[in-house]
Amino acid sequence: MDVQAKMHQALEGAVTNVLRALFRVLLRQSMSYSAFDELARRTYVEVAMRDFAIEGKKSTISRVSILSGLTRKEVRRLLSLPEGDPVENGGDRYNRAARVLTGWVRDPDFLDPAGSPRVLPMDGPKGFAALVRRHSGDMPARAVLDELHRVGAVEWLDEQHVQLHTRAYVPTRSASDKLGILGRDVPELIATIDHNIEHGAGDARFQRKVMYDAIPRSDLPAFRKLSATQAQALLERMDRWLQVRHRVAAAGNDAEAAATPRRRVGLGIYYFEEPAAPPSQGETR
């Protein structure tokens, strides 16, 4: 088998595994194959049109047809469809809300003598609005509070005071919010893997995991707790490093800000668990 054939075989296997995981979500949420097929065709065409133009030339229906394998008639149909209601881009909202929560659990001005997050008044030099100004820039305090309350991260103590309910921005109430995370986080992981396929030899991005395939179920609660605690601590250290750079960059004048290239950057950690494959006949463990 030549190199190209091996690449296609590896790609088909990888896509099949990704689709298996995705299709479990789609079937559980009652999305039909025809609906998925239409989305796949439309997105294939959009990506081919937007990201795979020949340098210096405008994308054409003919080129998109060649890249996608769809007929020119089908490409034209897909491009002529009116844009649907866009899925809300919660990335900025997500990041700002997460920074506010991180500030609340580690900024000394918002901690009690025991080092725990204080109940905060809405206003005042050490109130919730001050927390938002310090850790989320010009975002309206009420908008941040509404978002944190919506996902169950904070709760009203009375009409003027709020308290922290959870230390992480993780939607717990709305299935649509959780599906939104699927649409934000999975593409970032795939983009990292794609970058490493294309540029890993000289500019690799960190992407690792630790895995064992025969851990007793009785040990899993302890590992869940250990992994959550240490992962949260690592993310908070990364957040502090990035926040300093973000604050310095935001403090620059408009001319400096416009001249400085910017990149969206982050680090994600996730826990996974699945049944272990049974040992093959004659294998001992």
Side-chain angles (χ1 to χ4, degrees), residues 97-162:
R99 290 202 301 269
V100 169
L101 287 185
T102 301
W104 201 344
V105 300
R106 67 173 176 78
D107 190 325
D109 285 344
F110 303 95
L111 302 177
D112 63 22
S116 299
R118 290 190 296 104
V119 171
L120 300 181
M122 278 301 299
D123 300 312
K126 295 185 179 181
F128 184 81
L131 172 70
V132 172
R133 283 195 299 273
R134 182 175 299 181
H135 294 284
S136 191
D138 58 358
M139 192 76 167
R142 186 67 198 208
V144 175
L145 179 61
D146 288 345
E147 173 62 15
L148 294 178
H149 187 266
R150 187 180 67 85
V151 301
V154 304
E155 57 189 7
W156 286 100
L157 192 63
D158 56 39
E159 293 184 357
Q160 295 297 325
H161 295 80
V162 292

Side-chain angles (χ1 to χ4, degrees), residues 31-86:
M31 175 179 278
S32 68
Y33 179 78
S34 61
F36 168 79
D37 179 66
E38 182 72 3
L39 278 175
R41 288 168 177 260
R42 185 168 182 171
T43 307
Y44 226 74
V45 167
E46 288 175 356
V47 172
M49 179 69 76
R50 183 188 64 205
D51 297 337
F52 287 85
I54 296 173
E55 187 174 357
K57 294 185 178 181
K58 185 178 179 180
S59 288
T60 65
I61 289 175
S62 295
R63 175 163 172 77
V64 172
S65 176
I66 292 169
L67 289 172
S68 66
L70 298 171
T71 66
R72 296 175 73 254
K73 180 179 180 181
E74 177 68 353
V75 171
R76 190 177 291 107
R77 179 187 75 83
L78 292 165
L79 290 174
S80 69
L81 292 175
E83 292 188 10
D85 294 332

